[in-house]
Structures are given as C-alpha cells and as structure tokens.
Amino acid sequence: MREMLTGGELDVLTGDYLAELTMLILGRDRLKDPGAGYARTFLRQLEECLGLAHERGVRIVANAGGLNPGGLADSVRQLADRLGIPVRVAHVEGDDLTASHPGSLAAHAYLGGFGIAACLREGADVVVTGRVTDAALVTGPAAAHFGWAPTDYDRLAGAVVAGHVLECGAQATGGNYSFFADRRRDLLRPGFPLAEIHDDGTAVITKHPETGGFVDVGTVTAQLLYETAGARYAGPDVTARLDTVQLTGDGPDRVRIHGVRGEAPPPSLKVGVNRLGGFRNEVVFVLTGLEIEAKADLVRAQMADALSKSPPAEVRWDLVRTDRVDAPTEETASALLRLVVRDADQESVGRALSGAAIELALASYPGFHVLAPPGKGAPYGVFEDVYVPHAAVAHMAVLHDGRRVPVAPPQDTLVLEEDLAEPSLPVPLPPAPTTRAPLGLVAGARSGDKGGNANVGVWVRTDDAWRWLVHELTVERFRQLIPECEGLSVHRHTLPNLRALNFVVEGILGAGVAAQHRFDPQAKALGEWLRSRHLDIPEALL
C-alpha cells in the first residue's frame, strides 16, 4: 500500500482481499467471534498509510470487509479518530445471504460496483465492501468518476476487463508468467499494476516508474485468461465480451486495452456458498529404492486391513514417482505414496489413521518412514455456487453520515448464452517438418480455479504459432496431454484477438480448494504441466 501511494500518481487505490477460501476462513473466525469476519491485515496497512492517502487525496476502495463490512467500517473510523485523520468512511452491504442457506458457514452474493459508486459520489474517502466481484473495485470508482449509467455497457465492460487485469496484483507485471526466464532480473520484486481508465472505457495498464517487473501484451494476456471461461465474462453490472478485447503496446511498460464490447448482465447473481464438509487427514509414506510398486501394494493392503473396523467414508491413494534409477541421493531415489481420508466423524480420520500408520513402522516394507505423522484430522470446507434473482439481494450503500441508499438492480438483463458460435479460424500452416518438443517452447499458459472447475488459458505470440495452435490443441489433444481429464467435461473457447484458447475442465477440483481434492488444489500449475507435455511442433516455430 505504501509503495502504491508513494510511487506515483493515483486517484483511487483498490485492494482485493477475498478469495473463495478466504470466505471460508472468515466464516470460521466469525463462529468464534461474531464481531470478526473481516481482513485485519487491511487495518494494519491503514495504520501506516491512511495519513499518506489523505495527504495525497487518494481514495481507498477495498473488499476487506469480508463477512462484516459494517464492523470493518467502524474499526476504520476508530483508527482514523485515534490517528487524528479526518476521513469519511462508507461501506457496502447486502451480499450476506447466509441466513437463507441453512447449514452454510458463509453464503454471499457477488455484488457489482454501483454501491461503491454511490458511496464515492457522496464524498467517501474510504469504501469497504463485503463480497463484490473483483472487477467491481474498478467499475465502481470509474462509474462514479465519469458518471456512467448502468446501461453504459461498453464502458463498464472496459472497466471490468481492466479490473480483471489488476485483481491479482503482480500477476499482471510479470509474476507467475510463463515466459519469465529471459526477464528474471526484473522479477526479483515486481511492482504492482495500475490502470489509467478513460471515459470511453478504454484503459492503459502500466505500473509506477522505477518499480520492478514489466508490463507487456503477454503479461496482460495471461491475466485476462486467468480464472475465466468463455467469450462472455458475466458479472452483476455487465457481461464483458472477452472476444472483443484488443491489446496494443503503448510504450515501455504500457499496454492499451480497447475495443471491449459489453452486454446487459444476466438476470441472476452468483452466490458463493461455503459449508463444512467434514474432516480430512493424510499421511505420506516414503518408498525408497527398488520395488516401489510392490512396497506401495503392501502398505495399501496393510492400511486397508487396519482401517477395516471403521473405514473412513472416502479413501484416496496417490503414488507419485519422484524416484530415479541409480539415484545419487536418497531423496531422488524415493517415491511418495500419499493417503488421504475424509469422513464426517473426526475420530475416523484422526486417531484411527494415526494409529494404523505409525503401528506399521516396524512391520511393513523395508525402509519404512513417513514425511510426518498424521494429526487428529482437520475440518475441510466445500464450495458451491448457486444463483438468485437480483431482486433477492438488498444491495445497500451505507454512507459516511449513516444514510442508507438502496442500489437498484439492473433494469435490463440478458440470459447468458453458454456458447457462442465458433469464430472463423485461420487457415492451418502448410505441412512442414516437425520436432517432438514441449508445448511451452511455443505457448504460454495461465490456470486457476472456480469452485470445483479449473480453467487453462493458452496463448501464443505470433500469427503463425496461432495458425498451428488453434488447429492442433483440440479438446481431444488436451485430454491426451492431461490424462486427469478422463471422465470429465472439457470445453474449449477460442479468443482470436488474443491468439488464445481457454479450456474449462469441470469437476477436476472436486468440491473446491478447501476440500484439497488433488495435489494442486487450485490448479495453479495445471497450465505449466500442460506446457511441459511433448507433441509434434513445426520446426519453423521453434
């Protein structure tokens, strides 16, 4: 926060504090203390930086309110009074639908930006919200600044795209970027991105001078593909058409976003529902040297016998062959056998698993040891998204003077079409010599999670590479390269303006990140795994 306030010019400083997993964590906090439920790190940042923001006339908009935006607004006022800083603090509420979802720990609708805009128009210096869309932190200030109406869909869509680029901070300035290798020196400490937004909805993504990292068409493309699906990116204010986005270099560390078209939002709002799913425990057996498969078979059978009196509801084994032949170190001679159990009863995954695993220590395969003894079992959460009509949510701007201003739902809505017609594709490259090589020598990727689904965005940097990729990386080829997709629905979306394909794999993450369904529970490295897979690539592209 200090770096953004001191590094250059700003009108509004935004902060995105909420992920699906964060809402679950805050829900557990609220169980212990009804006055909790917001991001306390935000208050610690403000203690250092609120005076600086006030001096520079920078407004602050953050969704750090989590499950208790009113409580956070009160805490910010108390902090400002203690520091002697005259700031006007407002908040946005209405997203909390937990009471209408029995059994949930936290159920919150994703609100749009017009509650934020109402607070800013009435003079707020600090606006805190609960669950709004990440992009709302940008659309709200832009709508307030330029006086946009709810039907200015193209302008709002442009701001949504800019907000999506900003939402994950340094991921737009070289962080987590596929083609990082030739820019390693720039990435020791990447700066944070900012957006210069114009009245027509166009924007320039850049960063403060002299900060680390870099901004180019590739870094912006990568972030545009992150945790999105098809060409229509739906939100509560507008549906942004990602297939209309155009990116143009605008000088060093500057990328212009233009051409974005918008449509009326869908008639319903997304609601993220977090529940406690039960208890989870795991143990990782280390298998070293020869006969790895036989050692794994033995301990599986022994554990099944030991747990047979009270078997957990779910048992999952994964053998990870990290071992090498004739390895120079013991670690590289070892494979990992992971056992994960889940059950509604903590005893079934706690003491029973711990006893069974440790009692085998002198009676199992040669070289028996585990990475760490299993604990008593920890609760895990499950996430699902449901949808409600806009009118079911009481979107409310609570102004700095206590006035409560209802935020009207959109007048016009448009039922979201899941799939657009496949855009016209470029002609394939003519037949040419190929070499077996990793996809990542040609293509970048960025992947992430949305509930139990994962998306993998793949893009290339030249027209010829695009002519090859769009015909080569079909759904069938994707399934071959990512065998975990077996039995799951995979959808491909084509974005020619970005030279990109976006794949959505339904159900690969089970019940969401908190359930820890797979080794990489948020699919953050799924794209890098895809880039490491080999296929026949035209030599001219290499």
Side-chain angles (χ1 to χ4, degrees), residues 408-475:
Q411 295 180 349
D412 300 317
T413 60
L414 183 66
V415 175
L416 190 68
E417 296 180 30
E418 290 191 4
D419 293 303
L420 291 166
E422 177 82 356
S424 58
L425 303 180
V427 296
L429 287 179
T434 62
T435 295
R436 194 81 176 165
L439 173 64
L441 296 184
V442 174
R446 173 75 54 82
S447 58
D449 62 306
K450 280 293 183 185
N453 301 340
N455 94 287
V456 184
V458 185
W459 81 96
V460 289
R461 298 181 285 186
T462 68
D463 290 339
D464 279 350
W466 172 239
R467 290 171 62 190
W468 171 77
L469 181 77
V470 74
H471 294 284
E472 173 66 24
L473 195 56
T474 61
V475 168

Side-chain angles (χ1 to χ4, degrees), residues 9 165 172-173 183 193-198 202-209 213-220 246-258:
E9 213 175 326
V165 173
T173 55
R183 302 292 298 265
L194 60 89
E196 301 168 357
I197 300 180
H198 299 270
T202 61
V204 172
I205 304 298
T206 184
K207 64 186 184 69
H208 283 327
F214 56 96
V215 177
D216 62 20
V217 169
T219 66
V220 175
Q246 298 180 52
L247 304 178
T248 307
D250 194 49
D253 291 318
R254 294 176 62 85
V255 173
R256 183 169 175 257
I257 300 174
H258 56 105

Side-chain angles (χ1 to χ4, degrees), residues 131-273:
R131 179 74 276 185
V132 297
T133 65
D134 304 337
L137 301 172
V138 174
T139 60
H145 183 84
F146 295 115
W148 292 342
T151 53
D152 285 328
Y153 297 133
D154 290 348
R155 292 181 170 93
L156 289 166
V160 163
V161 170
H164 184 63
V165 173
L166 296 185
E167 72 178 58
C168 287
Q171 278 195 176
T173 55
N176 301 349
Y177 183 55
S178 290
F179 301 114
F180 76 99
D182 56 350
R183 302 292 298 265
R184 281 194 293 270
R185 292 183 181 179
D186 299 321
L187 291 175
L188 293 177
R189 191 176 186 276
F192 278 72
L194 60 89
E196 301 168 357
I197 300 180
H198 299 270
D199 186 27
D200 62 357
T202 61
V204 172
I205 304 298
T206 184
K207 64 186 184 69
H208 283 327
E210 310 304 323
T211 56
F214 56 96
V215 177
D216 62 20
V217 169
T219 66
V220 175
T221 298
Q223 184 56 27
L224 274 179
L225 296 172
Y226 181 62
E227 295 181 349
T228 60
R232 285 187 165 100
Y233 186 54
D237 297 322
V238 64
T239 293
R241 288 286 297 268
L242 298 184
D243 57 335
T244 64
V245 176
Q246 298 180 52
L247 304 178
T248 307
D250 194 49
D253 291 318
R254 294 176 62 85
V255 173
R256 183 169 175 257
I257 300 174
H258 56 105
V260 186
R261 303 298 301 273
E263 300 171 345
S268 57
L269 288 175
K270 177 180 173 180
V271 180
V273 181

